Amino acid sequence: SGVKDEWKGKFLGLTQLGTTNKNGVPTGLDHIRNLGVTHVHLLPSYDYGSIDETLSEEEKAANPAEQFNWGYDPVNYNVPEDRFYTCPSDYVERIREVKEMINEFHKNGIRVIMDVVYNHTFDKEMFNNISGKYYTSTDLSGCGNSTNTGVPMVSRMIRDSLEYWVDEYNIDGFRFDLIGIYHT
């Protein structure tokens, strides 16, 4: 891809200009621009649960299938996911990198849409310390941890989270996972 090795698979890898494959074909952001893309859709980019972020690069390489995840098992809706950053333990740098990625898309006339999964959580421990009423008694999302968007505080949490991503990171829009099970 021509992307710096340390940026491959990271948010910054999406921002690098002037990259080409071995045949000289533009890659990365140049390729996206050349296609005429006006919007990019990021899979869930906040902290999710089934990836062990404490593993070394060697341990990850030994079990690559265990490191694959689409991000549909949310843990913290308002914290960027560690694995997409060059320095996962440097929280200030993580924030800077995601903002830089979004800003680079905007500079190139591309809007950023983020996939959000508020209809369920990684496990029921996420809200149980606040209230067990935040989960539905039915398994609407098919994972056993369906949130009850009809509860006013769940609805408020979702709205606050969306506003946070817009205000803090300049996200342009959202794609809601299983929007049909949300209360209106």
Side-chain angles (χ1 to χ4, degrees):
S1 68
V3 173
K4 295 179 193 178
D5 284 342
E6 63 270 20
W7 286 10
K8 288 180 180 177
K10 310 295 182 192
F11 282 134
L12 289 181
L14 294 170
T15 68
Q16 190 175 349
L17 294 170
T19 59
T20 61
N21 67 15
K22 63 184 175 187
N23 297 323
V25 176
T27 61
L29 187 52
D30 291 319
H31 179 67
I32 293 170
R33 283 191 324 194
N34 290 347
L35 289 172
V37 170
T38 60
H39 294 71
V40 294
H41 172 193
L42 302 176
L43 289 176
S45 304
Y46 44 70
D47 188 40
Y48 45 83
S50 59
I51 298 293
D52 186 351
E53 296 150 348
T54 64
L55 296 177
S56 69
E57 291 302 318
E58 294 79 26
E59 291 170 315
K60 291 176 186 175
N63 295 302
E66 292 179 19
Q67 295 304 303
F68 181 78
N69 187 303
W70 290 94
Y72 289 90
D73 55 348
V75 172
N76 190 326
Y77 293 112
N78 299 319
V79 173
E81 170 58 31
D82 298 19
R83 66 193 296 224
F84 301 124
Y85 300 92
T86 60
C87 300
S89 60
D90 183 339
Y91 298 104
V92 173
E93 181 64 15
R94 284 170 53 184
I95 292 168
R96 188 196 66 73
E97 288 181 15
V98 73
K99 287 181 177 184
E100 182 178 336
M101 183 235 355
I102 293 166
N103 288 337
E104 287 301 316
F105 277 123
H106 287 162
K107 285 180 195 175
N108 286 278
I110 300 170
R111 313 279 278 170
V112 179
I113 309 303
M114 188 169 108
D115 209 310
V116 291
V117 185
Y118 295 111
N119 57 291
H120 68 271
T121 59
F122 176 61
D123 59 33
K124 283 194 173 183
E125 294 176 13
M126 194 164 152
F127 293 126
N128 265 351
N129 290 336
I130 301 169
S131 171
K133 295 179 182 178
Y134 285 9
Y135 294 96
T136 62
S137 58
T138 57
D139 188 15
L140 297 174
S141 60
C143 65
N145 307 317
S146 298
T147 57
N148 187 347
T149 59
V151 172
M153 285 308 295
V154 173
S155 178
R156 175 64 189 262
M157 180 277 302
I158 293 170
R159 188 174 60 249
D160 287 350
S161 178
L162 294 168
E163 288 175 3
Y164 172 76
W165 283 102
V166 169
D167 295 342
E168 189 62 33
Y169 292 94
N170 210 10
I171 292 287
D172 299 297
F174 302 94
R175 180 263 173 199
F176 285 79
D177 185 51
L178 295 176
I179 190 68
I181 66 170
Y182 288 70
H183 286 82
T184 56

